[in-house]
């Protein structure tokens, strides 16, 4: 992965599995990262383990989800 220094990265499904790996990789590349997921517990665990990650509990299938994401962090990479 190239440098993401100074980039805003939003990862939908970022609390577990492949999404979590993407969150960790983007953080290591210097990005500001917002992890979005439905599970508050998994996001809380992620925020304890991945210093600096921002989190948002949201269901991506809901109509209000995009507005909530863009209000939290305007992404350069989604």
């Amino acid at each position: 992965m190239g440098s993401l220094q100074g980039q805003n990265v939003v990862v939908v499904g970022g609390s577990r599995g492949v999404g979590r790996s993407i969150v960790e990789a983007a953080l290591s590349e210097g990005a500001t990262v917002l992890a979005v997921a439905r599970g508050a517990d998994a996001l809380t665990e992620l925020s304890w383990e991945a210093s600096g990650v921002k989190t948002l509990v949201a269901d991506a299938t809901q109509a209000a989800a995009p507005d909530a994401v863009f209000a939290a962090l305007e992404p350069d990479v989604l």
Side-chain angles (χ1 to χ4, degrees), residues 6-77:
Q7 299 288 302
N8 292 334
V9 176
V10 173
V11 182
V12 177
S15 64
R16 297 184 298 192
V18 173
R20 183 177 175 136
S21 294
I22 293 168
V23 166
E24 292 168 350
L27 284 170
S28 73
E29 292 290 329
T32 299
V33 180
L34 175 66
V36 181
R38 290 179 292 174
D41 292 341
L43 285 173
T44 298
E45 182 179 323
L46 173 64
S47 68
W48 289 335
E49 296 174 1
S51 179
V53 68
K54 299 171 188 257
T55 61
L56 176 66
V57 176
D59 183 342
T61 66
Q62 299 299 309
D67 290 335
V69 168
F70 279 87
L73 183 71
E74 187 172 330
D76 296 304
V77 179

